[in-house]
Amino acid sequence: MHDQRSKRRLKLWIGIGVGIVVVALAGFLAWLFLLSTTFSADETVVEGEQLLTSDAIKDAAAVPKNVPLARLDTGAIRERVEKLPEVHSAEVKVDYPNAVRIEVSERVAIYQLAKDEAFAWIDAEGVEFRTGQVRSKSLPEAKLTRDGTRIRRDVATVATHIPEAARKQVTLIRAKSVDRIEVSLEDRRSIVWGSADESELKSEVLEALLSVDAK
């Protein structure tokens, strides 16, 4: 009987000892990851940037230093980065032991919108995200009688559906309204596109018409 009681007491003490070790270990890990600066955000790595510099993205991200990665508000960092006009979307990840990784997807210019003496870059969603004084030779130019997200987006749709054979000949895309979009070519021909509706079909018809020698 005495041996059995001793064994039970031994098991009890072993259980208590294991419990204390587990609690202590859990407390230590909680302190290590949540309170200490051992695994803190000491470095920011940027990927996917082309228009912007990595420094510009880091400045916008404003990743707090000496904050444990487990407590870092990655959502707030992402929102700050996505406020940059050139950024379409961003993803923020923690990279143990001491880094934050920011992956950006920048907007892609479809055409340049002539505005006074400047040119604004417009993406497929009709968003204006960059303005400069010099016109890019690689982008078609557009002029709008009335500005707005809808008409900018429709012009982008038209611009992306212009057949490859005519794309390099485009001198101007003019939009008087969402239903009156015209494309001017170098040889003084004009394409009356109308609205952006059925642009894929219009592109196929235009590609066939461009092969016809006519005025």
Side-chain angles (χ1 to χ4, degrees):
M1 291 291 294
H2 179 72
D3 291 341
Q4 291 179 351
R5 290 178 181 175
S6 298
K7 289 180 180 180
R8 285 198 296 268
R9 283 197 297 269
L10 180 60
K11 289 180 180 180
L12 177 62
W13 283 112
I14 291 176
I16 293 173
V18 170
I20 292 173
V21 170
V22 170
V23 171
L25 181 60
F28 172 74
L29 291 176
W31 171 84
L32 182 64
F33 283 94
L34 298 176
L35 299 176
S36 78
T37 58
T38 303
F39 300 113
S40 61
D42 295 334
E43 180 186 9
T44 302
V45 180
V46 177
E47 297 177 348
E49 78 282 8
Q50 292 183 341
L51 298 174
L52 295 166
T53 64
S54 60
D55 286 341
I57 295 172
K58 290 177 184 178
D59 289 343
V63 177
K65 298 293 184 181
N66 297 320
V67 173
L69 296 180
R71 291 171 49 203
L72 205 61
D73 189 347
T74 56
I77 297 172
R78 174 181 54 78
E79 290 177 0
R80 289 194 290 270
V81 172
E82 289 181 346
K83 286 182 179 179
L84 291 169
E86 291 86 352
V87 175
H88 180 268
S89 61
E91 186 175 358
V92 181
K93 302 176 181 177
V94 294
D95 194 358
Y96 283 93
N98 299 106
V100 173
R101 191 172 301 275
I102 303 174
E103 298 176 6
V104 297
S105 176
E106 294 180 332
R107 296 186 183 277
V108 177
I110 303 299
Y111 65 92
Q112 282 190 323
L113 179 61
K115 301 180 69 174
D116 298 325
E117 297 180 357
F119 296 93
W121 286 14
I122 310 297
D123 74 349
E125 297 175 353
V127 175
E128 177 183 326
F129 63 94
R130 174 167 282 201
T131 302
Q133 302 297 319
V134 181
R135 178 175 179 259
S136 172
K137 295 181 180 179
S138 62
L139 295 173
E141 179 185 346
K143 290 184 178 180
L144 311 181
T145 301
R146 294 181 179 178
D147 198 1
T149 302
R150 163 73 189 281
I151 196 167
R152 291 198 302 264
R153 184 176 63 245
D154 287 357
V155 170
T157 299
V158 172
T160 56
H161 283 87
I162 296 173
E164 189 66 32
R167 197 164 296 172
K168 294 182 179 180
Q169 302 177 41
V170 175
T171 58
L172 183 66
I173 303 175
R174 187 181 298 276
K176 296 180 180 179
S177 69
V178 294
D179 297 315
R180 299 175 64 187
I181 301 174
E182 296 184 10
V183 181
S184 299
L185 303 180
E186 290 177 347
D187 55 7
R188 295 186 180 181
R189 287 189 293 180
S190 294
I191 303 164
V192 182
W193 199 280
S195 71
D197 296 340
E198 298 185 292
S199 284
E200 187 172 350
L201 175 60
K202 292 175 182 178
S203 177
E204 294 174 359
V205 173
L206 176 59
E207 191 167 12
L209 290 175
L210 288 172
S211 63
V212 178
D213 186 14
K215 294 184 180 179

